[in-house]
Amino acid sequence: MRVTKAIIPAAGLGVRFLPATKAQPKEMLPIVDKPVIQYIVEEAVNSGIENILIITGQGKKAIEDHFDKSQVLEEHLQEKGKVALLNLVREISEIADLHYVRQKEPRGLGHAIYCARRFVGEEPFAVLLGDDLVRSEKPCLKQLLELYDEVQSTVLAVKEVPAAAVNKYGILDADFLREGVYYIRDLVEKPSVDQAPSRLAIMGRYVISPTIFPILQKTPPGQGGEIQLTDALRVLSKEEPLYGINFEGRRYDVGDKLGYLMATVEFALDYPDLGKDFQSYLKQLVNTMG
């Protein structure tokens, strides 16, 4: 079955970026001149996804406003003859069929996904976490979807992380199948270094069977007192095959201050009208500091 729907959980409080996120969603923080969530939506669209559900929470209206039509702004740009900016603004409001559901209380990623059950129905679906940006020639999600087309079962994006970082991720206990592809036997949410079965970590992109919903309904709170998607996937792995794909591309944890700054710098260096001047500035800065 072809995957046509994606879920983007965006209900988190963004406490790692306080005070910047006190009055604005963390998903609206810009990477140069584009909010993080727009990069995520564009990845889904460029992977062939037709319908996107964004799981929001209290204080997240700015996300809906960003993707909505802005009549006043468009009229202003039209009057000023700023055609390129006008087209840019219009493209944002026409990017995809976007839907919204509110997660009424912060009960974890697993609960956020469960809030999408009526939108998804009985179809497989994609999940893209807004804290993970991936730069790659082929969209990261598209790589997952291609493997899903082959195996017709749940696929998770994975990367190997340093041993000291395994306690930050869901970690795989998996068998190597072929270059970049793993069969998942089990999963552990944020294990300690001595309990981690591997260093293969889930990286915020999933294609999941709808069988996950009745499992999520019964999943008790786990790590951090929240309903963890990893715990539900662990149960799913006993019922259906699960696969991991070590995707091609560079991943940035933009939910972390350092990761956010790294993404901002590296994305800026590739901007056609900005990259050369910014590179020159960075070189001067390094020479001054050195």
Side-chain angles (χ1 to χ4, degrees):
M1 182 181 292
R2 183 169 168 263
V3 179
T4 63
K5 296 177 179 178
I7 301 167
I8 302 176
L13 297 175
V15 294
R16 289 188 288 176
F17 273 91
L18 286 170
T21 51
K22 181 177 181 290
Q24 70 168 327
K26 65 174 182 176
E27 296 82 8
M28 289 300 297
L29 293 174
I31 302 294
V32 188
D33 59 0
K34 187 188 298 184
V36 168
I37 196 164
Q38 187 175 332
Y39 286 100
I40 305 301
V41 169
E42 288 174 351
E43 180 185 333
V45 171
N46 292 335
S47 300
I49 295 296
E50 298 167 357
N51 293 284
I52 298 171
L53 177 69
I54 300 178
I55 309 293
T56 65
Q58 188 173 2
K60 300 281 186 168
K61 191 173 182 298
I63 295 174
E64 296 183 42
D65 290 342
H66 178 71
F67 291 107
D68 199 1
K69 187 176 179 65
S70 179
Q71 193 67 40
V72 174
L73 178 58
E74 290 184 19
E75 289 175 358
H76 171 78
L77 295 173
Q78 184 97 47
E79 290 171 4
K80 298 295 183 180
K82 297 182 177 181
V83 178
L85 286 175
L86 176 62
N87 291 336
L88 180 65
V89 168
R90 284 176 173 168
E91 286 172 4
I92 294 171
S93 64
E94 298 168 357
I95 192 169
D97 289 330
L98 295 175
H99 312 263
Y100 302 89
V101 165
R102 176 170 285 198
Q103 185 184 21
K104 295 179 174 62
E105 52 185 323
R107 296 180 59 194
L109 177 59
H111 180 259
I113 301 303
Y114 186 68
C115 291
R117 63 195 182 280
R118 293 186 180 89
F119 171 79
V120 170
E122 297 299 320
E123 302 177 35
F125 61 99
V127 175
L128 303 94
L129 302 190
D131 284 349
D132 289 66
L133 282 186
V134 180
R135 298 182 73 200
S136 54
E137 290 188 17
K138 180 184 293 184
C140 178
L141 180 59
K142 189 173 180 62
Q143 297 176 50
L144 270 69
L145 290 170
E146 289 178 350
L147 179 57
Y148 175 84
D149 287 342
E150 176 188 335
V151 299
Q152 290 294 299
S153 198
T154 296
V155 177
L156 314 181
V158 303
K159 282 286 186 187
E160 193 169 90
V161 297
V166 295
N167 63 348
K168 299 178 181 179
Y169 300 94
I171 300 295
L172 272 56
D173 179 359
D175 294 325
F176 177 85
L177 292 182
R178 65 172 189 265
E179 185 66 31
V181 179
Y182 300 86
Y183 178 82
I184 300 171
R185 290 188 286 132
D186 203 354
L187 306 96
V188 184
E189 178 66 13
K190 298 179 179 178
S192 60
V193 175
D194 58 334
Q195 294 180 329
S198 74
R199 292 194 286 126
L200 287 172
I202 305 171
M203 288 294 170
R205 298 292 184 273
Y206 313 73
V207 179
I208 305 177
S209 160
T211 309
I212 198 73
F213 290 117
I215 296 173
L216 282 169
Q217 186 178 27
K218 300 174 184 176
T219 300
Q223 186 85 10
E226 298 181 335
I227 297 173
Q228 298 290 347
L229 178 60
T230 301
D231 291 342
L233 289 169
R234 185 179 190 185
V235 176
L236 183 63
S237 70
K238 311 307 177 188
E239 300 180 8
E240 300 178 359
L242 264 65
Y243 298 88
I245 178 169
N246 191 343
F247 59 90
E248 297 179 1
R250 177 153 167 72
R251 173 256 185 185
Y252 305 84
D253 178 4
V254 295
D256 170 78
K257 291 186 181 73
L258 179 58
Y260 176 81
L261 291 172
M262 291 168 63
T264 299
V265 169
E266 294 183 31
F267 276 61
L269 286 170
D270 276 350
Y271 264 58
D273 300 328
L274 180 66
K276 284 189 177 180
D277 289 341
F278 187 48
Q279 185 179 52
S280 296
Y281 162 72
L282 291 177
K283 287 179 178 178
Q284 292 173 10
L285 181 63
V286 170
N287 291 334
T288 301
M289 295 176 67

